[in-house]
Amino acid sequence: MNQKVALITGASTGLGFETSILLAKNGYKVYATMRNLEKQEDLINKAQELNLDIYTKHLDVTNVDNINRVVNDIVETEGRIDILVNNAGAGFVKTTELATDEEIMWQVNLNLMGVIRMTKAVLPTMRSQRDGRIINISSVGGLVGQPFNEIYCATKFGVEGYTESMASYVQPKFNIKFTVIEPGGIQSEFTNNVMSQLQSTGGLKDDEYKPILDKYLGGLKENYGTGSSQTSEEVAEVILKTLEMNEPPIRKRTSEWSETFTQLKTKADPDGKEQQQRVVKLLGK
């Protein structure tokens, strides 16, 4: 069988980086993309050290022309794209009242529209192949709204709905299988970047919301409990296992903690397959 070709967004650090390494170790040909190619050195060095089949490309998921150019280049070179991992995204901590319209649209543009744009770009190739896997990285925040994360959670709820909808007709008709991955916390630069972003935009004003945020952040580790965060490598392993399933789930939590945290939302249909089948029946055969 031909070597499978995987396209991964947001691959310069964290989960995207580790997923690129792990898939390449397991025989996939990986196109690891990132907005800032100045950050590619660590990934290139690791790939060379381990003799892995990884190629880096500049890709900004907010730029349609850039997306189409990269996808077309890969298809021209490889003749196919088998896997898309929509990992690029960012967190955002700020109250709705304080967030500017520009900041809100930045979140939507990156976290939700980026997923939709990338999916749209690879669908013609996957549809012609009658084969493909699309993994969308969400969060427990895509199932459970959390304090001061409402804008971020809104984008991830959007990713959840988009994935479910695509799985209801594209998956059964064209054999393009969709899964949304729902980690809890990931031990990477993600949280640091969120807090840096908050500080760089003036922090939270000293108003009625400030003591609520201080209390929330102060008790975060204690309230969320042991096991609330995983390493990027651990989440990457879940992605690999999902890709290697013949019939992957529509949604997949990545730890016992994330299962417990979301169980009130998920216990009736943990993997989303039952709901998918009910919707598929509406289409008829």
Side-chain angles (χ1 to χ4, degrees):
M1 185 176 178
N2 292 333
Q3 186 180 27
K4 289 190 174 182
V5 177
L7 168 57
I8 301 173
T9 66
S12 61
T13 60
L15 181 57
F17 181 102
E18 297 299 340
T19 302
S20 298
I21 296 295
L22 185 61
L23 294 193
K25 281 182 177 179
N26 283 271
Y28 295 83
K29 188 169 190 177
V30 174
Y31 283 86
T33 70
M34 59 200 72
R35 184 178 59 83
N36 185 358
L37 270 183
E38 292 179 1
K39 296 182 178 181
Q40 68 180 327
E41 186 175 351
D42 287 346
L43 183 57
I44 290 174
N45 290 341
K46 189 72 171 180
Q48 290 175 344
E49 175 190 335
L50 299 174
N51 195 29
L52 299 177
D53 217 356
I54 297 178
Y55 302 86
T56 58
K57 281 184 173 289
H58 167 257
L59 194 155
D60 180 351
V61 300
T62 68
N63 186 313
V64 175
D65 290 339
N66 181 202
I67 290 169
N68 290 333
R69 185 168 58 251
V70 170
V71 169
N72 290 338
D73 285 349
I74 295 172
V75 173
E76 286 179 11
T77 301
E78 304 295 341
R80 61 188 301 111
I81 294 176
D82 299 287
I83 294 158
L84 169 64
V85 180
N86 279 313
N87 171 68
F92 185 70
V93 174
K94 194 171 281 191
T95 66
T96 294
E97 288 186 61
L98 186 57
T100 65
D101 193 68
E102 182 181 15
E103 288 171 331
I104 294 168
M105 292 311 299
W106 164 71
Q107 272 282 283
V108 173
N109 198 21
L110 175 60
N111 289 355
L112 177 56
M113 289 303 301
V115 169
I116 296 173
R117 292 188 191 103
M118 289 301 305
T119 302
K120 181 177 180 178
V122 304
L123 274 177
T125 297
M126 290 186 174
R127 187 160 49 82
S128 68
Q129 296 167 181
R130 290 299 194 266
D131 185 59
R133 298 289 182 97
I134 295 179
I135 299 284
N136 294 329
I137 306 303
S138 179
S139 161
V140 294
L143 290 169
V144 179
Q146 295 160 65
F148 300 95
N149 285 265
E150 61 262 34
I151 307 302
Y152 172 78
C153 288
T155 64
K156 292 302 186 180
F157 269 67
V159 170
E160 299 271 344
Y162 180 72
T163 305
E164 283 190 4
S165 297
M166 297 299 282
S168 74
Y169 75 105
V170 177
Q171 179 160 323
K173 299 301 180 182
F174 304 112
N175 194 39
I176 302 169
K177 296 175 180 177
F178 290 80
T179 300
V180 63
I181 300 291
E182 300 159 336
I186 299 179
Q187 298 163 16
S188 68
E189 288 301 303
F190 185 85
T191 301
N192 291 337
N193 289 340
V194 171
M195 299 313 295
S196 294
Q197 195 274 340
L198 174 62
Q199 294 306 318
S200 70
T201 57
L204 200 64
K205 290 182 179 178
D206 191 10
D207 60 10
E208 289 186 304
Y209 289 114
K210 184 69 162 56
I212 306 173
L213 176 64
D214 289 342
K215 185 176 181 181
Y216 173 67
L217 294 177
L220 200 57
K221 187 172 182 180
E222 178 182 348
N223 292 337
Y224 276 63
T226 304
S228 60
S229 63
Q230 297 172 273
T231 65
S232 297
E233 293 92 333
E234 288 171 330
V235 178
E237 288 282 357
V238 176
I239 293 171
L240 175 63
K241 289 177 183 177
T242 302
L243 287 171
E244 295 186 339
M245 294 177 182
N246 289 328
E247 289 298 327
I250 305 303
R251 54 167 45 93
K252 176 65 178 175
R253 268 79 59 208
T254 62
S255 68
E256 183 177 347
W257 182 90
S258 59
E259 290 283 13
T260 301
F261 185 71
T262 60
Q263 64 182 345
L264 290 178
K265 286 284 186 78
T266 62
K267 63 182 178 181
D269 185 20
D271 62 5
K273 295 292 284 184
E274 181 176 344
Q275 183 68 69
Q276 181 209 24
Q277 291 306 313
R278 289 188 183 187
V279 175
V280 168
K281 286 180 182 178
L282 298 176
L283 295 176
K285 292 186 178 179

